[in-house]
């Protein structure tokens, strides 16, 4: 397997600084079914159990809008930080594309709705944007969330190198990473990597 080295370059995003105050133990969802509403009793039970397991942050990827409201109530009571994603209103997943029509208005409304919630740690904007138009939209969302919700973590994450489009073997992954960073200018670099799961172990990751 060919070895590639990327030169280290500080992001230098002074206008998007994010200070992590503690080691974060988090979760991507509180249920295994995306975009389905979770009853309040289950939300409270799951988040309470996560706190007892020493999680200090809850991430709600692909969450139902009503589930977010319930999680905010519980996280405020338990003192946990919350990162939210509501695909019915903003953001995207991989190649999914939402219109950028009235994008600023939507982000302003979302930011105003959750303003003042002490548990809110940020917004999960886009999960693994890979197409150029998805990366461009993720960048627009990021710009607007930093305008209307400054000080929070506005997060878009890279697609991992074992996707079908950009890999180390086909030589496209470094260019994808550079394009992602140069376009979105994220405050932190993040990606999912699943060494365990369904399917054979691959040697091209």
């Amino acid at each position: 397997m060919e070895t590639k080295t990327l030169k280290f370059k500080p992001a230098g995003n002074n206008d998007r600084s994010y200070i992590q105050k503690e080691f974060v133990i988090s979760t991507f969802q509180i249920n295994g079914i995306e975009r389905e509403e979770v009853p309040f009793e289950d939300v409270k039970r799951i988040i309470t159990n996560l706190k007892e397991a020493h999680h200090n942050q809850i991430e709600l990827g692909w969450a139902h809008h009503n589930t977010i409201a319930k999680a905010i109530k519980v996280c405020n009571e338990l003192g946990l930080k919350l990162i939210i994603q509501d695909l019915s209103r903003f953001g995207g997943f991989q190649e999914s594309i939402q219109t950028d029509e009235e994008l600023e208005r939507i982000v302003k409304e979302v930011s105003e709705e959750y303003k003042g919630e002490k548990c809110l740690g940020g917004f999960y904007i886009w999960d693994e944007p890979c197409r150029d138009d998805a990366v461009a939209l993720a960048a627009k969302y990021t710009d607007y969330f930093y305008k209307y919700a400054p000080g929070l973590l506005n997060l878009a994450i890279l697609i991992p190198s074992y996707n079908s489009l950009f890999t180390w073997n086909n030589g496209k992954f470094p260019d994808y990473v550079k394009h992602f960073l140069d376009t979105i200018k994220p405050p932190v670099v993040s990606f999912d990597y699943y060494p365990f799961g369904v399917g054979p172990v691959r040697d091209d990751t």
Side-chain angles (χ1 to χ4, degrees):
M1 182 171 68
E2 183 181 358
T3 301
K4 299 181 185 295
T5 303
L6 297 176
K7 291 184 179 180
F8 171 77
K9 180 182 178 182
N13 297 329
N14 294 327
D15 58 334
R16 294 183 179 174
S17 60
Y18 170 71
I19 299 174
Q20 183 174 315
K21 298 180 180 179
E22 58 185 345
F23 184 80
V24 173
I25 302 176
S26 185
T27 167
F28 181 67
Q29 289 178 305
I30 61 170
N31 69 316
I33 307 172
E34 69 175 83
R35 306 184 211 185
E36 285 195 8
E37 184 175 357
V38 183
F40 179 78
E41 295 76 14
D42 290 342
V43 171
K44 186 169 185 178
R45 174 181 54 81
I46 293 168
I47 294 179
T48 300
N49 288 343
L50 287 169
K51 181 174 183 179
E52 291 176 356
H54 301 290
H55 285 64
N56 52 10
Q57 178 175 287
I58 304 299
E59 190 174 324
L60 289 185
W62 314 333
H64 190 283
H65 182 74
N66 294 341
T67 301
I68 292 173
K70 298 168 188 175
I72 286 175
K73 177 177 174 59
V74 176
C75 287
N76 278 335
E77 291 175 355
L78 297 180
L80 295 175
K81 285 296 181 184
L82 183 65
I83 307 289
I84 63 173
Q85 183 186 42
D86 182 351
L87 289 177
S88 70
R89 304 184 71 194
F90 68 88
F93 168 67
Q94 290 189 356
E95 297 183 27
S96 66
I97 293 297
Q98 294 187 8
T99 177
D100 61 354
E101 196 174 312
E102 299 185 324
L103 189 66
E104 185 172 7
R105 178 188 60 79
I106 293 168
V107 172
K108 185 177 180 180
E109 287 178 358
V110 170
S111 301
E112 285 294 323
E113 178 177 349
Y114 298 112
K115 185 177 181 180
E117 297 291 356
K118 64 180 181 179
C119 69
L120 186 62
F123 297 95
Y124 188 62
I125 294 171
W126 209 291
D127 189 53
E128 303 177 351
C130 45
R131 284 179 12 193
D132 286 350
D133 47 1
V135 173
L137 269 182
K140 287 185 178 181
Y141 272 114
T142 303
D143 288 343
Y144 286 134
F145 270 113
Y146 273 104
K147 178 179 180 179
Y148 292 107
L152 299 177
L153 175 60
N154 298 302
L155 185 64
I157 71 168
L158 291 153
I159 196 167
S161 62
Y162 51 78
N163 72 90
S164 61
L165 299 174
F166 315 104
T167 69
W168 292 109
N169 279 359
N170 68 20
K172 296 181 179 180
F173 192 64
D175 289 339
Y176 163 72
V177 173
K178 185 177 187 305
H179 175 62
F180 179 99
L181 297 178
D182 289 346
T183 305
I184 298 176
K185 299 179 178 65
V188 297
V189 178
S190 178
F191 58 91
D192 299 327
Y193 224 82
Y194 304 106
F196 308 105
V198 177
V201 176
R202 295 171 52 175
D203 63 0
D204 61 349
T205 58

